[in-house]
Amino acid sequence: MASAFDRIADIIAETSDVPRETIRPESHVIEDLGIDSLDFLDIVFAIDKEFGIKVPVETWTQEVNSGAAPASQYFVMENLTKRIEELVAAKSGG
Amino acid sequence: MQLEYFRMIDRVVSVDAGAITAEAVVPEASPVFEGHFPGHPLVPGVLLLETMAQAAGYLLLARLGFARMAFLIGSKELKLRRFVRPGERLSVTARLVHEGSGYSVADAAITSADQRICEVREMKFSLQDFPAPELAGTMRAQAARIGLGT
C-alpha cells in the first residue's frame, strides 16, 4: 500500500488544482500549495473517508488561532502526515 | 412553502439520528413565479436545492440540539430531473453521510407521488456557532412550526 504521505498528497491533488509533483514533505498546504479553507474541508472529508478517522480540524484551528500550537504542526505536509498516522494508530489501538 | 421567504419545509414527517423526511407543498401563487417564468411558472432549481439543504439542515440542527447552525458550503452533484409546478406536494428526504469535525455531509432527494424530481449528493455544511442570538431563536421557532422538536 502507498505511504500515508502519498495517499494524502494524492487526495490533495485530486481534490484541488495543485499538481501532484509540487506536493512535497516540506510543503505548507496553505502558504505553499494555496489551499483555502473550503478546499481544505474537501480534503479533510476525503482523508476522513480514506483513513476511517475524524480529523479534528476544529481543535487544530483553535490551537493555532490561540497560539497554543504553530500552524506548521498541522499544515506542513510531513507533520500533517504524522498527525494522520497518529489518529489512525489511536483508532486501531496501536 | 413560502418561496419568497425561503421557508421551504412545511412539515417534518419523520426524523431519526441519521435521516429526515419532510413535506413541502408548492404554493399556487408566489412572486417568484412572476419572473420564473412569465406564463410558465416553475420552482427554480436553486430553490429545489435550497429545499433539500433545509431538510438536511434541520436534521443537523436536531442532531446538534440547536446549539450550532449548519451553513451550506458546497455539494458534489445535483440532478434536476423534471419541472416542479405550482400546487405540487413534495416529499423531501435527507440522510447523513458523514459527521466530521466542524462539518457534516448529507445526501438528499425530492420526490412527488413516488416520482423522482431531483437529488443532490454530498452536500457539505459548515457547523458554526450562531452568529446572532435572534437567528438561534428563529431557527427554533421555524423548527417548532414544522413539527421538529427542539
Side-chain angles (χ1 to χ4, degrees):
Chain A
M1 177 178 282
S3 70
F5 174 86
D6 284 332
R7 290 161 74 191
I8 295 166
D10 288 347
I11 285 171
I12 291 174
E14 289 163 9
T15 308
S16 64
D17 294 328
V18 178
R20 172 65 181 82
E21 63 274 15
T22 65
I23 306 173
R24 303 187 184 92
E26 66 273 21
S27 301
H28 190 299
V29 295
I30 299 165
E31 295 172 6
D32 297 328
L33 303 182
I35 303 294
D36 66 14
S37 58
L38 189 58
D39 280 339
F40 191 68
L41 211 51
D42 284 338
I43 290 164
V44 167
F45 177 42
I47 290 173
D48 280 2
K49 287 192 295 183
E50 170 73 13
F51 292 89
I53 58 175
K54 183 172 172 176
V55 176
V57 182
E58 283 192 301
T59 302
W60 291 1
T61 304
Q62 287 165 5
E63 288 180 11
V64 171
N65 289 343
S66 69
S72 60
Q73 181 171 315
Y74 301 118
F75 299 111
V76 167
M77 279 299 297
E78 60 185 348
N79 295 336
L80 176 63
T81 301
K82 285 178 191 165
R83 300 293 87 78
I84 301 303
E85 289 174 329
E86 289 166 359
L87 289 165
V88 172
K91 183 196 168 204
S92 60
Chain B
M1 301 173 96
Q2 289 180 287
L3 303 180
E4 65 275 25
Y5 289 107
F6 275 62
R7 290 182 188 144
M8 315 309 284
I9 302 297
D10 290 323
R11 184 173 70 93
V12 171
V13 176
S14 67
V15 62
D16 60 31
I20 189 170
T21 299
E23 186 179 76
V25 179
V26 181
E28 292 291 347
S30 167
V32 170
F33 297 141
E34 295 171 15
H36 195 283
F37 296 99
H40 188 65
L42 301 173
V43 177
V46 291
L47 292 186
L48 294 174
L49 174 62
E50 173 68 19
T51 301
M52 294 187 284
Q54 288 192 13
Y58 282 120
L59 170 64
L60 298 175
L61 283 172
R63 286 183 64 86
L64 295 164
F66 290 81
R68 305 178 89 185
M69 182 64 182
F71 293 98
L72 180 66
I73 58 172
S75 66
K76 188 170 186 179
E77 182 180 282
L78 172 67
K79 285 185 180 176
L80 302 170
R81 297 181 181 278
R82 74 158 172 84
F83 295 153
V84 174
R85 300 182 185 283
E88 284 208 53
R89 183 176 294 271
L90 309 177
S91 177
V92 192
T93 59
R95 180 178 64 86
L96 182 69
V97 172
H98 181 74
E99 191 167 59
S101 171
Y103 78 99
S104 286
V105 183
D107 290 345
I110 296 177
T111 61
S112 181
D114 292 329
Q115 190 177 32
R116 289 194 296 172
I117 289 177
C118 57
E119 302 104 38
V120 60
R121 289 182 56 225
E122 294 188 4
M123 276 188 293
K124 292 190 185 70
F125 294 85
S126 175
L127 309 179
Q128 302 178 16
D129 293 338
F130 280 100
E134 55 265 42
L135 177 58
T138 298
M139 294 313 300
R140 284 182 180 275
Q142 293 284 10
R145 177 183 64 83
I146 63 173
L148 183 66
T150 60

